[in-house]
Amino acid sequence: MSGYIHLQIVENAEDVARIAAQNLCAQIRERSDAVLGLATGSTPEATYAELVRVHRERRVSFSRVRSVNLDEYQGLDGAHEHSYRYYMQRHLFDHVDMRSWNALLLDGTAVDGEAECRAYEERIRALGGVDLWLLGIGSNGHIAFNEPGSTRDSRTRCVPLTAETIADNSRLFAAPTEVPRRAYTVGIATIMEARRLLLLATGEHKARAVAAALRGEEGPHCPASFLRGHAECTFLIDRQAASLLES
Ligand code: F6R
């Protein structure tokens, strides 16, 4: 059965970042040891910058916050400048009072990948689940690295990346050939277990994926469409990302 997605359309990417940061801060103020689910990529960068700003004004503390990230490239260790651990350090962890041992990320260099994935699911469970998970959306409708074809019951695993995702993400690498071909990702079922979800999308290049997720047929061809089955999911998007939604 499909649920109901709260749709919040705001003017621009700046508003998305400000409101997303407000949501995360409200969650931390409600519960100082909140478990936050975090995303990487271009979209949440401004949200993290806003969180750092609010933290510097001493309006929020991360000292008890726990976090769980969505995904990591296979083969990259945390010190690699394109790893998602490095991204999190650079955009958030290095600038707030978060304790390093409270940040959970997949290890891209795990020798036993299957054991790494199983342990990740267990660790999330041991944390008591995720209170609020921040998400982005790929131009092909992926969430985390759950590429088209991923099923509703998918769990943490190592997946091949699609040509579209490799092309999208190559802007951050020196050359497209340097983009890892595989990544570890939490599954759709893992994401759906979070108590609240907040998906951010900005820019015209996300309009097609947003329209497919909200208005298209629900199914593995557009993994983000599964979010409609969640009881507490908000799409916080700017006007450009909303441009293909009929009013
Ligand atoms: C990142 C992630 C991805 C991104 C998506 C959008 O942790 O899980 O699903 O959210 O690829 O990326 P950007 O924001 O770079 O357009």
Side-chain angles (χ1 to χ4, degrees):
M1 200 192 80
S2 284
Y4 171 75
I5 288 184
H6 308 271
L7 176 59
Q8 192 172 359
I9 302 173
V10 296
E11 195 53 40
N12 52 39
E14 225 169 79
D15 291 341
V16 167
R18 189 174 39 79
I19 296 166
Q22 279 168 3
N23 272 270
L24 289 161
C25 290
Q27 177 62 69
I28 297 168
R29 289 185 190 116
E30 188 185 313
R31 188 180 158 197
S32 60
D33 63 345
V35 179
L36 301 181
L38 301 175
T40 55
S42 304
T43 314
E45 276 181 23
T47 300
Y48 296 139
E50 178 65 8
L51 283 177
V52 170
R53 196 183 66 77
V54 174
H55 170 72
R56 285 190 176 142
E57 288 176 358
R58 299 183 188 281
R59 290 192 283 132
V60 71
S61 168
F62 291 77
S63 62
R64 301 190 66 221
V65 166
R66 283 89 49 84
S67 72
V68 178
N69 262 79
L70 286 170
D71 39 22
E72 180 60 280
Y73 286 119
Q74 189 191 34
L76 301 194
D77 74 35
H80 192 287
E81 62 168 331
H82 292 307
S83 75
Y84 285 165
R85 177 176 283 279
Y86 189 91
Y87 170 106
M88 289 309 307
Q89 293 294 146
R90 188 153 69 97
H91 291 287
L92 185 66
F93 300 156
D94 284 350
H95 312 288
V96 296
D97 56 346
M98 178 123 177
R99 310 284 187 243
S100 58
W101 55 87
N102 282 333
L104 192 58
L105 282 98
L106 283 152
D107 176 4
T109 62
V111 179
D112 184 341
E114 278 182 29
E116 172 69 10
C117 294
R118 266 196 313 277
Y120 205 66
E121 290 276 343
E122 277 159 25
R123 286 191 204 121
I124 296 173
R125 229 166 285 135
L127 288 172
V130 173
D131 292 308
L132 173 60
W133 210 323
L134 193 64
L135 302 169
I137 184 170
S139 59
N140 63 0
H142 74 211
I143 44 170
F145 276 132
N146 293 286
E147 297 280 36
S150 302
T151 55
R152 166 68 181 79
D153 60 356
S154 54
R155 289 281 169 188
T156 304
R157 65 206 187 287
C158 190
V159 297
L161 300 179
T162 61
E164 194 170 1
T165 296
I166 291 167
D168 279 354
N169 291 4
S170 67
R171 70 188 189 280
L172 306 168
F173 288 79
T177 48
E178 286 188 20
V179 184
R181 269 31 189 177
R182 296 179 67 84
Y184 289 101
T185 181
V186 298
I188 294 172
T190 325
I191 293 170
M192 294 293 276
E193 281 170 0
R195 285 179 270 286
R196 284 197 300 140
L197 301 175
L198 180 62
L199 182 142
L200 313 183
T202 58
E204 224 174 323
H205 62 300
K206 294 295 171 73
R208 193 173 51 93
V210 166
L214 292 175
R215 306 281 190 254
E217 202 180 312
E218 186 177 321
H221 64 282
C222 179
S225 67
F226 286 119
L227 300 177
R228 286 188 233 161
H230 196 281
E232 279 287 335
C233 176
T234 298
F235 273 39
L236 172 58
I237 66 179
D238 70 1
R239 275 186 189 285
Q240 290 187 334
S243 59
L244 293 178
L245 298 173
E246 312 122 33
S247 44

